[in-house]
Amino acid sequence: MLLPLLPCLVLCLLLLPLAVLWRRRPSQDARLSWLVHLQHRVAWGALCWAAAWQRKSLVRSTLHAGQSQQRALRRCLQGAQSPRCPLRGSTDIGVFRNHLPLTKASQLQEEESGVQLLPPTSNQYRGEVSLQATLLGLAALKKTCPEVLAPEGTARVTPSSPWPYPLPWPWHALGQLGPAGAKDPRALLLEALRSPGLRALEAGTAVELLDVFLGLEADGEELAEALAAGNPGASLPRRAAELREALEQGPRGLALRLWPKLQVVVTLDAGGQAEAVAALGALWCQGLAFFSPAYAASGGAVGLSLWPEQPHGLYLLPPGGPFIELLPLKEGTREEAAPTVLLAEAQKGKEYELVLTDHTSLTRCRLGDVVQVVGAYNQCPVVRFICRLGQTLSVRGEDTGEDVFSEALGRAVGQWPGARLLDHGCVESSILDCSEGSAPHYEVFVALKGLRNLSEENRDKLDHCLQEASARYKSLRFRGSVGPARVHLVGWGAFRELRAALAACPSAPFPPEMPRVLKHRYLAQYLQRRVLS
């Protein structure tokens, strides 16, 4: 797949050491050398050529989605490791479904059995979709914002990258500042702060970028001192003064005060990111566009984002690998309703659960991610993410879904004067042994901006909003079978610690899908220990 890029790649690699040496020489002005410009033009020429090739390939495959999925299924079955696989040589979807029943991923089963039931997609298929997402995403972003990816116009501020596939040529040739593979978040942020002319910020996920801005506010003086001490010249001390002045004006619009030419924020979309995107857009990144090159689930790219100018969160499900099926859900419920359908059979307006097949173990896994079909690209569906089925609260069989709870919490926080929701997590009271002497209920932990204490009146508003959002919850509350939700305010560092604990798990996917409903006591205790009010 990368073979057509080899000549341009070799030229880029040959130009890299010369460009680096040239840039180390003293310069009479701030302009980049002609060699750096040449390297940038060659890299972009190769990328645009590869993106055009990928676009044509995507158009062909989506025009005949059924045939494309047959080929994807054939590759999947041919890659099966078991020599006795009864499906070898067959691509009949009925036989495939009969021999391989659906498996429901369960984090609890993983931990108890030691077996990973959430199958990552194969490296081959992950690379195919991830490469498409990166090449087409970069090309679409450049077309929408031509100046965004100019030399030294982009900086990544987290160790992880939002681009699903690592491109083979030097990143800084395409405009990115900072050393490749850098792991120190502080060093990455300082590099970005030294460059007031940035046009794009990159972060692995929105929640990671939220941590960056919260840390910037908390450690602003230390960062300013590090900037001032970084160079005896006048530019960096002046930049340190600009940082202090920008921080003094508060969080709203901070990114544009620090980088006046900034146009877009690039993060990789996955489950549990919506609140961070909303908080960033309302405060620190106000006035900026957000772009995600892909939707990631189960540790790999699943959906492609081809339209930066469209509302955030629309993704095309491609017909190549991994092999994707859609499980219809019943009207008004989140239960399985019928056999799976292929991509070309998806109906606009309907909700489906994503099903992926892993070629290594031939596991048809229900990912738990629910999407709604909002349009079509040739014969393939364009979808938006709705919720995750595993993220439900149920203390009396009420099954309050992630989307229902998040909507109710958003309405409640909107009634708390001056408050902006940054993050939240929920726990059923039995997990924390909080039901002694009371009916089972929800324990809710929230991180807020603009509010340092929660009154009882504020806490009660969440329960009222939950009753308005769910008739089943309201009925149980009226009968006293379920107690009122208890709301706790935690410091923003609590969720950062929780994410670090999740990322430390050996089987953790990237990007880490931020859980909203915690099923294990040790995870909930990361939040419980940091309660402020």
Side-chain angles (χ1 to χ4, degrees):
M1 188 172 295
L2 292 176
L3 188 60
L5 304 182
L6 286 179
C8 294
L9 170 59
V10 171
L11 183 55
C12 283
L13 294 176
L14 289 174
L15 289 173
L16 171 62
L18 294 175
V20 171
L21 289 173
W22 185 278
R23 291 168 66 185
R24 288 179 179 173
R25 295 173 54 187
S27 177
Q28 299 299 321
D29 53 38
R31 292 178 299 174
L32 293 174
S33 71
W34 66 271
L35 195 54
V36 174
H37 277 292
L38 176 60
Q39 186 188 27
H40 183 266
R41 291 186 64 180
V42 169
W44 265 115
L47 182 142
C48 292
W49 189 94
W53 185 83
Q54 287 286 349
R55 171 73 76 166
K56 291 180 181 179
S57 175
L58 183 64
V59 170
R60 287 195 302 268
S61 65
T62 55
L63 279 172
H64 307 284
Q67 297 176 17
S68 299
Q69 285 211 277
Q70 286 285 341
R71 288 193 293 270
L73 178 59
R74 185 180 299 112
R75 291 198 303 267
C76 181
L77 297 179
Q78 289 173 346
Q81 291 183 350
S82 173
R84 298 180 180 179
C85 174
L87 300 175
R88 281 179 175 270
S90 171
T91 57
D92 184 87
I93 189 65
V95 174
F96 171 73
R97 288 167 175 159
N98 289 334
H99 277 86
L100 298 178
L102 293 174
T103 299
K104 189 173 183 179
S106 168
Q107 185 179 4
L108 179 59
Q109 286 178 297
E110 286 181 30
E111 293 189 12
E112 290 181 346
S113 66
V115 178
Q116 185 175 352
L117 295 180
L118 191 63
T121 58
S122 72
N123 289 335
Q124 174 190 354
Y125 297 160
R126 182 184 300 169
E128 180 180 341
V129 180
S130 298
L131 179 61
Q132 280 186 332
T134 298
L135 289 173
L136 295 178
L138 280 167
L141 192 59
K142 182 173 175 61
K143 182 178 179 181
T144 306
C145 308
E147 297 180 349
V148 160
L149 296 173
E152 297 191 355
T154 303
R156 179 165 48 85
V157 292
T158 62
S160 56
S161 170
W163 302 102
Y165 195 95
L167 291 178
W169 46 70
W171 264 114
H172 76 264
L174 294 176
Q176 189 177 71
L177 290 171
K183 297 297 183 182
D184 183 2
R186 180 185 174 91
L188 290 170
L189 179 57
L190 279 172
E191 186 71 22
L193 289 172
R194 292 187 183 104
S195 305
L198 290 181
R199 299 178 185 274
L201 278 184
E202 294 181 0
T205 62
V207 291
E208 292 178 82
L209 184 60
L210 182 63
D211 283 342
V212 168
F213 278 104
L214 289 169
L216 177 58
E217 287 189 329
D219 305 325
E221 184 55 38
E222 292 182 15
L223 290 168
E225 292 177 358
L227 277 176
N231 191 308
S235 60
L236 289 181
R238 183 169 61 250
R239 185 64 177 152
E242 293 172 354
L243 172 59
R244 292 187 177 98
E245 182 180 352
L247 290 171
E248 288 174 358
Q249 298 178 46
R252 197 176 300 274
L254 176 62
L256 279 174
R257 291 198 299 274
L258 290 174
W259 300 285
K261 296 182 180 180
L262 206 59
Q263 293 179 275
V264 66
V265 174
V266 183
T267 63
L268 185 60
D269 199 4
Q273 305 292 320
E275 287 175 351
V277 171
L280 289 165
L283 294 175
W284 300 274
C285 298
Q286 188 180 62
L288 297 173
F290 282 77
F291 176 67
S292 169
Y295 177 76
S298 185
V302 176
L304 305 177
S305 178
L306 307 178
W307 311 279
E309 71 281 359
Q310 295 294 323
H312 180 75
L314 298 183
Y315 300 98
L316 166 69
L317 298 182
F323 184 70
I324 301 176
E325 300 170 81
L326 299 173
L327 182 63
L329 302 178
K330 289 182 180 178
E331 294 285 346
T333 71
R334 293 285 157 76
E335 300 176 4
E336 179 181 348
T340 58
V341 300
L342 299 180
L343 297 181
E345 302 167 330
Q347 299 181 33
K348 185 176 180 179
K350 299 290 186 180
E351 291 185 1
Y352 300 90
E353 181 183 357
L354 293 176
V355 177
L356 264 64
T357 298
D358 172 40
H359 87 292
T360 303
S361 60
L362 279 185
T363 303
R364 292 174 68 217
C365 184
R366 295 174 55 181
L367 297 185
D369 288 46
V370 175
V371 297
Q372 183 184 50
V373 178
V374 297
Y377 180 88
N378 293 330
Q379 292 185 350
C380 287
V382 176
V383 302
R384 67 182 182 92
F385 172 77
I386 300 295
C387 67
R388 296 167 292 177
L389 293 180
Q391 298 291 286
T392 58
L393 290 159
S394 185
V395 294
R396 290 291 191 191
E398 70 279 9
D399 289 334
T400 303
E402 177 185 34
D403 54 337
V404 173
F405 185 90
S406 294
E407 181 183 351
L409 179 59
R411 288 204 307 270
V413 174
Q415 300 175 44
W416 300 348
R420 169 63 61 177
L421 181 64
L422 302 181
D423 226 329
H424 87 270
C426 309
V427 188
E428 295 169 5
S429 57
S430 59
I431 293 175
L432 289 174
D433 295 331
C434 298
S435 296
E436 295 183 10
S438 62
H441 57 273
Y442 306 158
E443 295 281 331
V444 184
F445 301 89
V446 297
L448 302 172
K449 188 76 175 178
L451 195 63
R452 297 188 176 184
N453 192 25
L454 284 176
S455 66
E456 289 305 315
E457 181 182 1
N458 287 340
R459 299 175 202 269
D460 291 341
K461 287 177 180 176
L462 172 58
D463 198 73
H464 292 313
C465 290
L466 280 171
Q467 294 183 48
E468 293 174 357
S470 171
R472 175 65 175 164
Y473 180 84
K474 183 176 182 178
S475 173
L476 292 171
R477 285 284 295 114
F478 179 76
R479 289 183 292 177
S481 301
V482 173
R486 298 179 182 176
V487 186
H488 310 280
L489 178 63
V490 301
W492 69 272
F495 286 95
R496 184 177 58 182
E497 291 178 6
L498 173 62
R499 286 191 286 274
L502 291 167
C505 178
S507 62
F510 180 82
E513 298 182 0
M514 183 60 193
R516 297 302 174 199
V517 178
L518 303 177
K519 303 294 186 180
H520 307 285
R521 181 179 301 183
Y522 82 96
L523 292 175
Q525 286 174 341
Y526 281 98
L527 305 180
Q528 194 177 37
R529 288 194 294 263
R530 299 292 297 272
V531 170
L532 303 176
S533 169

